[in-house]
Amino acid sequence: MLNIVIFGAPGSGKGTQSARIVEKYGLNHISTGDVLRAEIKNGTELGKTANEYISNGQLIPDALMIDILASVFDSFKDSKGVIFDGFPRTIAQAEALKKMLKERGQEVSIMLDLEVPEDELMVRLIKRGQETGRADDNEETIKKRLVVYHSQTAPLIDWYKNDGKYCHINGLGTMDGIFADICKAVDAI
Ligand code: AMP
C-alpha cells in the first residue's frame, strides 16, 4: 500500500492536492476535517462535541480522533493505499497512526510537508471563508488555528524527519507546479 501523510498549516493546500493525488494514484482519502464537518452537518453527538472545538480553533482530543481514524481506515476494502489529510496533528496522533498501521502490516510511505508563508495562509483562508462560508475561516479563528498549528502540529516535522519519512514541498506556486513536485517525490519512493 501507498500510505501518504499530507501535512501543512491550515490553508497550505492539503485538500486541493489530496484530490489530485487520489485521482492519479487511486488512493482512498481520509480528511479528518471533512469527517467532522459531516458529523456537524448531520447533528450527531460527535458533531456537537466537535463543533465546540472547531469553532474555537482548537483540536479535538486525541483519543476521539484516533478512534475515528481507525474506523474510517478499516472501512476501506482492498485499498491501494490511503492519503491522510489533516491527521496526524499531534505527536500522540503520529504515534497512534504508526501503531495502527503496524498492527495491520502497513506503514506511512511518505510525509509531504506543504510549506507556505504565514501571510499567504491568512490571505487564502480569508478568501476561502468568503467563498465557501466555512465557519472557522474567519480572522479570529484562523489566528487561533495558526497558533495551535505552531505549538501542537509543527513539532511533527522533526518527528517525521526522525522517522525517515519527511519530504519538503514548496507550497507556493501554481497548483500544477506543486502537484508535479508531489508526483516526483511519490514516484521516487
Ligand atoms: P481541517 O479541515 O483539517 O482544517 O480541520 C478543521 C478542524 O477540525 C481543525 O481546526 C480541528 O478543530 C479539527 N480537526 C481536524 N482534524 C483533526 C485532528 N487530526 N485532530 C484534532 N482536531 C482535528
Side-chain angles (χ1 to χ4, degrees):
M1 278 171 80
L2 177 62
N3 294 311
I4 300 176
V5 170
I6 189 149
F7 183 87
S12 56
K14 299 188 294 292
T16 308
Q17 295 297 338
S18 289
R20 296 178 153 217
I21 296 169
V22 163
E23 202 190 340
K24 172 159 177 170
Y25 296 96
L27 305 182
N28 291 110
H29 181 207
I30 302 181
S31 158
T32 44
D34 284 352
V35 171
L36 297 169
R37 280 185 289 276
E39 296 284 338
I40 293 172
K41 199 168 160 218
N42 293 331
T44 64
E45 280 309 309
L46 170 58
K48 284 177 198 152
T49 307
N51 195 30
E52 288 174 24
Y53 292 96
I54 293 180
S55 57
N56 207 18
Q58 302 299 311
L59 297 182
I60 275 73
D62 285 332
L64 192 54
M65 278 321 303
I66 290 163
D67 279 354
I68 295 170
L69 186 92
S71 76
V72 178
F73 184 86
D74 287 335
S75 72
F76 299 141
K77 300 282 170 248
D78 302 322
S79 179
K80 283 191 193 171
V82 173
I83 179 149
F84 297 92
D85 166 6
F87 189 102
R89 264 180 154 96
T90 62
I91 303 264
Q93 290 181 15
E95 283 168 351
L97 177 61
K98 187 168 182 164
K99 182 164 170 272
M100 183 199 82
L101 290 175
K102 196 168 175 206
E103 285 165 1
R104 291 156 178 77
Q106 297 293 325
E107 62 175 7
V108 166
S109 314
I110 193 167
M111 183 268 218
L112 301 168
D113 175 22
L114 282 174
E115 199 191 4
V116 174
E118 193 115 346
D119 49 352
E120 169 71 10
L121 294 173
M122 257 314 209
V123 171
R124 288 186 189 180
L125 290 168
I126 286 175
K127 186 161 172 257
R128 187 172 73 183
Q130 287 162 350
E131 287 171 358
T132 66
R134 188 171 141 173
D136 58 346
D137 284 341
N138 63 77
E139 194 167 343
E140 193 192 338
T141 314
I142 294 167
K143 281 185 183 153
K144 287 188 192 162
R145 286 156 67 204
L146 290 173
V147 169
V148 166
Y149 171 77
H150 287 296
S151 62
Q152 299 191 56
T153 306
L156 287 174
I157 293 173
D158 281 341
W159 194 92
Y160 276 104
K161 281 182 182 166
N162 285 331
D163 211 33
K165 307 293 185 191
Y166 181 84
C167 175
H168 175 265
I169 302 282
N170 180 1
L172 260 193
T174 64
M175 276 196 261
D176 287 346
I178 297 164
F179 185 58
D181 288 346
I182 288 176
C183 293
K184 219 184 284 170
V186 171
D187 292 340
I189 295 172

